[in-house]
Amino acid sequence: MTSELIIDVREQEISIALLEDKSLVEFQTEPREASFSVGNIYLAQVRKIMPGLNASFVNVGYSKDAFLHYLDLGMQYSSYEKYLKQLCSDRRNLYPFDKALRLPDLPKEGSVANQLKVGQDVLVQIVKEPISTKGPRLTGDISLPGRFLVLIPFGEKINVSSKIKSSHERTRLKQILQKVKPNNFGVIVRTVAEGLREDELKEELEMLLGRWEDTLRKIQGATKRPSLVFEENSRAVAMLRDLLNSTYESIYVNDDHVYEDVRKYVGQIAADKVDIVKKYTGKVPIFDNFNVTRQMKSGLGRTVNYKHGAYLIIEHTEAMHVVDVNSGNRSRGVEGQEANALDVNLGAADELARQLRLRDMGGIIIVDFIDMALPEDRQLLYERMCKNMQKDRARHSILPLSKFGLMQITRQRVRPAMDVNVEEVCPTCLGKGKIKSSIMFVEMLENKLRYLTRDIGVKNPRLYVHPYVYAYIKRGLISIMTKWRLRYGLGIDVIPSQELGMLQYKFYNRSGEFIDMKEEKDDI
């Protein structure tokens, strides 16, 4: 299996697509100004105490206050509270963290009202982004993830990933870290650390310790509440940190700044792989070039076709996701209905595992498979689903089929499920039901080009249109495109974009900045 990461940087947002053997398996998008992401650490302020919930609401700067339960305060909350007071009492000298006093663990059976007060400062980390009407979910158990290690301030244990099976290797890793880690820190050894040398582990540990020291200095100098004291890496870099392995063949980026960031990070964690980071310079949109747009439009709708006419219907409610498996117009196989049902269900299990990752669906997922009579077929389907989900990084749990033929899946939810609208509103009437003559579309585009180049003075604009419109404009020896260039400038460029509807268009200048030419300007 080979993996490719495609990073599309636009003026308003950054989108990231992960391809495995050219098949889209993960897709993430976020606004460029987004500041609330999992892993960020805040010096925040308690806004409200809720004794009935044994929880508090904390102001981290979001429109909805974040939720912090007593059990999420962390066993070392008392130690953090005392150390925070020491930091804030002396703004000049940083008290060494490895000499900080470690207080007894917080009791599991306790009350949040006995630990927190309204207006009190508290050090928290986001573990779930805002979802629907809910604010972020917080924890007081601070951790700083790296590629090979996770640093736990005020921890004391060294834990090794359970996926490292060799007892000898587990013991070796523990001995190395016991020797190099300072006092008042715990460490989690990640799976990819298996087989690493002591100097490699020590180098990453020192890097994480440096980040923690920078965080403490920001806490010490913070003058407002809430204050962001540690910001998680960008989505692209964070995804690389968790996923980069020997199967990565290429990482394509279409922005100079992000390209340098990604190249620098890959050089830090895997110097021999730095050349897989490549700058995309093609004229065609990067997602179109790698067939991401087509896969998104075919795979993110309510109905998802997967093979031989079978399809899934995926519905989202406030409480859960519901998936219905249908055989569609698939003809019955020669081996009978039971074999046909098994084949359709196994295909559905393959596609569903991909859809869970692609849409980042979390919470409760109920799947209504086609009924099967044989117990061995039901067991085979359960085992197939479990095998497919092994590639999923999110924590999950799968139950065998119930007597009603339903499979219940729970999957870790840390951010809202991906909801990409693949349906297109009529770009000309905007849903009103009346449109201008489509035969005049190209003439309207020429009017806009004339307005941009002659009236506004935009030189060499780029026009993105649907591939069919592009083919029409470029056809012939003396094409419409050639005439436009002769009239309005040889630098004018028309580029096909699968993202656009048939009569949609977008104008950009040579710097990649979007030029707003809304419908009310069509009479120009």
Side-chain angles (χ1 to χ4, degrees):
M1 181 185 70
T2 59
S3 301
E4 291 178 300
L5 197 66
I6 316 299
I7 304 174
D8 182 18
V9 183
R10 304 190 186 188
E11 190 175 358
Q12 300 295 330
E13 63 184 15
I14 298 179
S15 299
I16 303 167
L18 175 63
L19 304 179
E20 291 181 354
D21 293 333
K22 306 298 182 181
S23 177
L24 180 65
V25 294
E26 290 194 31
F27 178 77
Q28 298 178 10
T29 185
E30 67 175 5
R32 297 195 70 169
E33 69 275 9
S35 57
F36 291 92
S37 62
V38 173
N40 285 0
I41 301 175
Y42 289 85
L43 183 59
Q45 200 167 59
V46 177
R47 183 74 67 87
K48 187 186 299 183
I49 304 293
M50 303 294 288
L53 298 174
N54 201 18
S56 64
F57 287 96
V58 179
N59 176 24
V60 293
Y62 190 64
S63 57
K64 294 278 186 180
D65 286 339
F67 183 79
L68 177 63
H69 193 272
Y70 173 80
L71 295 177
D72 292 327
L73 279 174
M75 303 296 285
Q76 296 303 317
Y77 168 74
S78 300
S79 302
Y80 274 114
E81 183 183 25
K82 183 173 181 60
Y83 187 71
L84 280 178
K85 291 179 179 177
Q86 288 178 313
L87 279 182
C88 298
S89 63
D90 186 353
R91 299 286 184 180
R92 295 184 177 180
N93 302 310
L94 185 66
Y95 189 78
F97 188 80
D98 58 353
K99 296 181 180 179
L101 180 62
R102 186 186 177 89
L103 298 179
D105 291 352
L106 207 65
K108 292 184 179 180
E109 301 294 333
S111 170
V112 71
N114 295 333
Q115 302 296 333
L116 299 178
K117 295 180 176 59
V118 174
Q120 178 181 339
D121 288 346
V122 59
L123 189 66
V124 290
Q125 188 169 26
I126 293 181
V127 292
K128 283 187 180 180
E129 289 184 1
I131 296 175
S132 186
T133 58
K134 302 174 183 177
R137 181 77 182 257
L138 304 177
T139 182
D141 273 325
I142 307 299
S143 62
L144 279 74
R147 170 131 174 87
F148 308 119
L149 307 173
V150 179
L151 186 67
I152 313 292
F154 277 127
E156 56 181 351
K157 295 182 179 179
I158 298 174
N159 296 315
V160 180
S161 168
S162 59
K163 293 182 180 179
I164 299 178
K165 302 299 182 182
S166 169
S167 57
H168 177 268
E169 178 65 9
R170 296 172 67 88
T171 301
R172 184 187 75 89
L173 291 169
K174 284 185 177 181
Q175 289 175 345
I176 290 175
L177 288 164
Q178 193 67 52
K179 182 169 60 174
V180 299
K181 84 171 185 68
N183 187 38
N184 276 344
F185 287 99
V187 176
I188 298 174
V189 183
R190 308 183 78 171
T191 308
V192 290
E194 186 172 7
L196 291 182
R197 303 187 308 273
E198 178 178 337
D199 60 329
E200 293 175 303
L201 294 172
K202 186 177 180 181
E203 181 181 1
E204 172 144 309
L205 180 62
E206 290 175 350
M207 181 267 291
L208 293 175
L209 289 170
R211 287 186 184 176
W212 178 241
E213 184 172 335
D214 291 341
T215 301
L216 294 180
R217 294 193 182 279
K218 288 182 180 179
I219 295 172
Q220 190 179 37
T223 56
K224 64 177 183 177
R225 306 291 185 271
S227 182
L228 178 63
V229 294
F230 173 81
E231 188 169 11
E232 179 59 287
N233 290 319
S234 68
R235 183 71 56 90
V237 172
M239 196 171 181
L240 277 176
R241 182 193 64 211
D242 296 336
L243 292 179
L244 187 64
N245 55 49
S246 58
T247 68
Y248 265 56
E249 189 177 76
S250 303
I251 301 170
Y252 291 96
V253 190
N254 64 348
D255 179 83
D256 292 330
H257 180 70
V258 177
Y259 167 76
E260 292 297 335
D261 286 348
V262 172
R263 188 176 175 86
K264 178 181 178 182
Y265 182 74
V266 172
Q268 290 175 347
I269 64 174
D272 59 320
K273 282 187 164 291
V274 71
D275 290 334
I276 70 173
V277 184
K278 302 170 184 177
K279 175 72 189 317
Y280 177 76
T281 57
K283 292 183 179 179
V284 175
I286 186 170
F287 276 1
D288 289 5
N289 187 71
F290 292 98
N291 203 31
V292 174
T293 305
R294 182 181 296 275
Q295 293 191 58
M296 283 172 53
K297 292 202 172 189
S298 64
L300 287 174
R302 176 177 176 267
T303 301
V304 180
N305 298 302
Y306 57 96
K307 70 173 186 177
H308 305 309
Y311 61 93
L312 305 177
I313 295 179
I314 302 176
E315 298 277 8
H316 172 57
T317 70
E318 189 68 23
M320 66 182 70
H321 297 272
V322 182
V323 183
D324 185 35
V325 180
N326 295 273
S327 59
N329 58 6
R330 176 191 174 99
S331 60
R332 183 177 299 177
V334 294
E335 298 181 3
Q337 181 176 348
E338 185 69 18
N340 185 65
L342 176 61
D343 188 43
V344 171
N345 285 339
L346 292 178
D350 296 340
E351 180 61 28
L352 179 60
R354 171 176 169 262
Q355 288 290 328
L356 294 180
R357 293 175 65 190
L358 180 57
R359 301 175 187 236
D360 205 7
M361 293 161 60
I364 301 172
I365 300 107
I366 305 296
V367 190
D368 181 14
F369 285 101
I370 297 173
D371 291 340
M372 296 183 295
L374 299 178
E376 56 267 31
D377 288 349
R378 297 157 71 92
Q379 179 63 24
L380 181 61
L381 174 60
Y382 171 68
E383 292 174 356
R384 179 74 159 261
M385 194 71 210
C386 292
K387 180 181 178 181
N388 290 337
M389 292 293 286
Q390 288 177 356
K391 299 178 183 178
D392 198 333
R393 293 175 293 123
R395 292 193 301 271
H396 58 269
S397 177
I398 307 172
L399 296 182
L401 289 170
S402 70
K403 64 179 181 179
F404 298 118
L406 303 177
M407 180 178 287
Q408 302 171 61
I409 303 173
T410 59
R411 187 175 181 273
Q412 179 187 21
R413 177 168 63 179
V414 295
R415 59 178 60 91
M418 182 61 59
D419 183 19
V420 177
N421 185 12
V422 297
E423 296 180 349
E424 297 173 355
V425 176
C426 172
T428 308
C429 74
L430 301 177
K432 297 175 183 177
K434 294 183 179 180
I435 65 172
K436 297 178 181 179
S437 174
S438 57
I439 201 171
M440 301 299 295
F441 180 64
V442 174
E443 284 76 1
M444 182 267 290
L445 291 179
E446 182 174 359
N447 290 339
K448 289 183 179 291
L449 272 176
R450 182 188 303 113
Y451 176 74
L452 285 173
T453 56
R454 295 182 178 176
D455 296 358
I456 301 180
V458 177
K459 294 184 178 180
N460 305 331
R462 288 176 176 170
L463 169 61
Y464 288 80
V465 294
H466 188 276
Y468 288 175
V469 177
Y470 169 80
Y472 176 76
I473 292 174
K474 296 279 286 187
R475 70 173 185 168
L477 184 61
I478 304 179
S479 63
I480 295 174
M481 181 71 227
T482 302
K483 295 177 181 177
W484 285 355
R485 285 178 170 171
L486 292 173
R487 293 171 187 167
Y488 310 114
L490 297 177
I492 292 172
D493 211 352
V494 179
I495 301 169
S497 174
Q498 297 175 10
E499 179 188 21
L500 300 177
M502 183 67 75
L503 299 182
Q504 285 181 301
Y505 57 91
K506 289 183 179 179
F507 283 98
Y508 289 84
N509 63 20
R510 282 293 165 178
S511 301
E513 297 171 339
F514 175 67
I515 303 174
D516 188 4
M517 299 291 287
K518 292 184 178 179
E519 295 303 315
E520 52 266 27
K521 294 180 182 146
D522 281 350
D523 294 331
I524 292 171

